[in-house]
């Protein structure tokens, strides 16, 4: 399983763009990169997933450089309701029967008014 | 539409007792996952069902933990001889169950908070 490293916490003011970078140096060829968001007392919620280059949806963008050893989740113009823990996950069907999702500790984003 | 539901929302039990935690996945989702989450940590994988069978149970910590999904829908996580270290939030998730396996978009329930005294 690819190990991921992301900042433990980040602060941002409302209205700013927030970029959270995740390092995954030993990502495998068939691994995907997925981000989840978790609010207190709730289960995680899927945000975005990608394999390479850039993916954008209605809530976020995901930038993946050519070597795929890192990825950056970009949240445009954050609001107070974006205060949550953000998890970067890397993995996929390894073909060896085990393709678990491994959540680390995540990045606790605090949005300040 | 209805999301993933879990019952009970809270469960307090004494050390050594048996508990069952229930998960109702989203209708039509063939894949179901159990995780547990301790305070300040990310969810920790326990077991993954594809249909009725456990496709991956390598996350179950020991033989006190067991999960079933007899009809490919509702699942029950069973913990025997509970220990204080089992105290955590137990999360269930479901997904459509396509070729991405775990990397299908997973929809999580609110969790069951288990406290072992």
């Amino acid at each position: 399983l690819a190990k991921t490293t992301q900042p433990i916490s980040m602060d941002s003011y409302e209205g700013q763009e927030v970029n959270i970078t995740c390092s995954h140096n030993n990502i495998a060829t068939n691994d995907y990169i997925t981000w989840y968001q978790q609010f207190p007392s709730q289960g995680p919620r899927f945000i975005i997933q990608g394999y390479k280059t850039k993916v954008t949806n209605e809530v976020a963008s995901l930038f993946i450089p050519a070597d795929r050893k890192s990825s950056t989740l970009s949240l445009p113009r954050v609001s107070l309701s974006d205060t949550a823990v953000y998890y970067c996950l890397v993995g996929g069907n390894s073909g060896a029967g085990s393709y678990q999702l491994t959540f680390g500790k995540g990045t606790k984003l605090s949005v300040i008014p | 539409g209805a999301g993933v539901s879990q019952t009970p929302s809270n469960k307090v039990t004494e050390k050594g007792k048996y508990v069952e935690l229930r998960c109702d996945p989203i209708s039509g989702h063939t894949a179901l996952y159990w995780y547990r989450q301790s305070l300040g940590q990310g969810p920790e994988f326990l077991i993954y069902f594809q249909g009725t069978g456990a496709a991956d149970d390598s996350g179950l910590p020991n033989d006190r933990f067991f999960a079933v999904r007899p009809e490919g829908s509702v699942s029950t996580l069973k913990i025997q001889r509970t220990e204080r270290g089992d105290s955590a939030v137990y999360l269930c998730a479901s997904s459509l169950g396509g070729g991405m396996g775990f990397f299908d978009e997973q929809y999580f329930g609110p969790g069951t908070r288990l406290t072992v005294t």
Side-chain angles (χ1 to χ4, degrees):
Chain A
L1 295 172
K3 179 177 164 55
T4 60
T5 302
Q6 52 183 125
I8 293 173
S9 64
M10 294 180 71
D11 293 337
S12 175
Y13 287 102
E14 272 193 294
Q16 289 190 327
E17 177 184 79
V18 170
N19 296 308
I20 306 174
T21 296
C22 179
S23 298
H24 28 81
N25 290 318
N26 60 339
I27 189 169
T29 301
N30 59 352
D31 284 348
Y32 280 74
I33 300 155
T34 309
W35 287 80
Y36 279 79
Q37 173 192 55
Q38 187 175 26
F39 299 113
S41 301
Q42 295 185 24
R45 184 175 74 110
F46 177 96
I47 302 175
I48 198 166
Q49 183 179 83
Y51 183 81
K52 62 179 179 180
T53 63
K54 177 183 174 183
V55 180
T56 298
N57 63 22
E58 63 276 8
V59 298
S61 295
L62 179 59
F63 298 92
I64 305 169
D67 67 5
R68 305 202 323 124
K69 293 184 184 298
S70 66
S71 58
T72 299
L73 175 72
S74 181
L75 305 172
R77 298 179 298 282
V78 293
S79 65
L80 296 176
S81 64
D82 293 316
T83 294
V85 178
Y86 293 81
Y87 296 98
C88 164
L89 299 97
V90 172
N93 187 346
S94 67
S98 177
Y99 29 98
Q100 301 168 8
L101 272 186
T102 300
F103 291 79
K105 291 189 177 182
T107 297
K108 183 174 168 58
L109 173 66
S110 298
V111 180
I112 306 163
Chain B
V4 176
S5 62
Q6 294 186 245
T7 52
S9 55
N10 279 283
K11 175 72 177 178
V12 180
T13 191
E14 292 179 350
K15 179 175 177 296
K17 299 289 189 183
Y18 168 82
V19 296
E20 290 190 353
L21 311 180
R22 176 187 167 107
C23 173
D24 280 86
I26 292 172
S27 177
H29 281 192
T30 62
L32 185 146
Y33 315 79
W34 283 99
Y35 297 84
R36 72 176 173 181
Q37 186 170 25
S38 300
L39 195 63
Q41 305 294 318
E44 172 193 5
F45 165 75
L46 296 177
I47 186 168
Y48 158 45
F49 287 91
Q50 181 59 50
T52 60
D56 185 345
D57 64 358
S58 61
L60 294 177
N62 52 58
D63 62 6
R64 296 187 297 105
F65 288 74
F66 189 70
V68 295
R69 195 185 185 201
E71 297 177 357
S73 177
V74 170
S75 177
T76 305
L77 178 66
K78 308 180 181 196
I79 310 174
Q80 299 178 319
R81 304 183 304 280
T82 52
E83 299 177 357
R84 292 195 181 87
D86 298 335
S87 296
V89 174
Y90 288 80
L91 294 163
C92 175
S94 69
S95 71
L96 282 170
M100 291 285 284
F102 275 79
F103 288 81
D104 278 347
E105 179 174 347
Q106 293 190 25
Y107 295 81
F108 282 78
T112 293
R113 182 174 298 278
L114 175 66
T115 303
V116 182
T117 62

